């Protein structure tokens, strides 16, 4: 049987290119799946309140912050992080004299009409007194290096020293929720 060296070389090159493609896909998936590294310093930012007026992050440097950075699409979809935020509203386990919690809407990634989302946020704020901010330029995501937040309900804790000490971008499982409670307990008293 005759094996043509040119054909063999073409086959080897095809296999090599396929392997490179697979490695590239795996690498990009690994980067996407990586969590945000903590602890690390973050800065206070000026974004908008729900009515569109510029404001800095409330209580930054005064209290520990529990921040929900939410793509409104993920809020409507539900998921364990949204359920955890509802649970926290009911059980008050993340409240205390040393912590302040609020929400920040990631408006860039939503496919929903912004007027409708702002109206939903206002109603929720009226119902429970929540502070909800509007990040219509994704400054929080960019300046804090959060990576892809499209479709995410991100939960973060920033210490009063300005350190991001906790960040959960993906829906938490039972063990993740237990870990969240352990971390938040350190910062609420």
């Amino acid at each position: 049987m005759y094996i043509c060296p040119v054909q063999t070389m073409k086959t080897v090159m095809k296999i090599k290119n396929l392997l490179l493609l697979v490695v590239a896909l795996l690498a990009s998936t690994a980067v996407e799946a990586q969590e945000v590294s903590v602890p690390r310093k973050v800065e206070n930012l000026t974004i908008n309140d729900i009515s569109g007026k510029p404001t800095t992050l409330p209580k930054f440097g005064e209290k520990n912050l529990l921040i929900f950075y939410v793509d409104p699409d993920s809020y409507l979809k539900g998921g364990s992080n949204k359920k955890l935020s509802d649970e926290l509203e009911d059980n008050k386990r993340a409240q205390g004299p040393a912590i302040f919690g609020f929400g920040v809407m990631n408006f860039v990634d939503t496919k929903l009409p912004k007027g409708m989302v702002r109206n939903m946020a206002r109603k929720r704020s009226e119902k429970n007194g929540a502070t909800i901010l509007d990040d219509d330029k994704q400054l929080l995501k960019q300046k804090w290096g959060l990576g892809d937040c499209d479709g995410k309900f991100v939960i973060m804790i920033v210490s009063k020293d300005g350190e991001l000490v906790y960040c959960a971008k993906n829906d938490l499982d039972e063990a993740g929720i237990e870990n969240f409670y352990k971390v938040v307990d350190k910062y609420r008293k």
Side-chain angles (χ1 to χ4, degrees):
M1 178 168 126
Y2 175 74
I3 299 175
C4 175
V6 173
Q7 242 356 67
T8 303
M9 188 55 82
K10 285 181 182 178
T11 303
V12 168
M13 291 304 289
K14 283 181 184 178
I15 292 171
K16 182 180 174 184
N17 288 339
L18 181 62
L19 286 173
L20 286 173
L21 178 63
V22 168
V23 169
L25 286 172
L26 288 173
S28 69
T29 302
V31 168
E32 178 62 34
Q34 287 178 349
E35 287 296 317
V36 176
S37 65
V38 294
R40 63 186 167 85
K41 283 285 195 186
V42 293
E43 62 185 280
N44 196 352
L45 302 170
T46 299
I47 57 177
N48 295 328
D49 65 15
I50 198 64
S51 62
K53 295 177 187 157
T55 186
T56 56
L57 300 179
K59 311 284 185 189
F60 191 94
E62 298 171 37
K63 291 190 173 202
N64 302 306
L65 304 178
L66 173 59
I67 304 170
F68 301 98
Y69 188 63
V70 181
D71 175 344
D73 301 332
S74 73
Y75 181 84
L76 292 178
K77 181 177 70 175
S80 65
N81 289 5
K82 195 258 185 218
K83 288 176 188 163
L84 176 61
S85 89
D86 292 341
E87 181 180 303
L88 292 170
E89 189 177 327
D90 293 337
N91 70 19
K92 315 281 190 240
R93 282 194 55 194
Q95 293 181 4
I99 197 164
F100 182 75
F102 60 94
V104 179
M105 290 185 297
N106 168 7
F107 261 135
V108 175
D109 286 329
T110 188
K111 284 109 182 120
L112 299 169
K114 291 181 175 57
M116 180 186 90
V117 174
R118 282 190 178 98
N119 191 37
M120 287 172 29
R122 275 190 206 96
K123 285 180 181 178
R124 182 160 175 110
S125 183
E126 289 167 4
K127 175 187 166 208
N128 64 11
T131 299
I132 302 174
L133 304 177
D134 170 353
D135 188 6
D136 63 352
K137 295 183 179 112
Q138 289 186 323
L139 293 174
L140 204 73
K141 171 189 147 177
Q142 293 169 8
K143 300 285 185 175
W144 289 9
L146 300 179
D148 182 19
C149 294
D150 188 10
K152 305 282 184 184
F153 193 109
V154 183
I155 301 173
M156 296 179 281
I157 298 175
V158 176
S159 74
K160 66 180 171 185
D161 299 323
E163 276 195 325
L164 180 63
V165 296
Y166 179 89
C167 183
K169 286 177 56 175
N170 297 315
D171 276 344
L172 296 170
D173 58 13
E174 250 183 75
I177 291 171
E178 276 185 49
N179 182 54
F180 165 79
Y181 278 121
K182 287 177 187 173
V183 174
V184 81
D185 281 345
K186 295 178 194 175
Y187 292 96
R188 66 187 188 98
K189 297 175 183 171

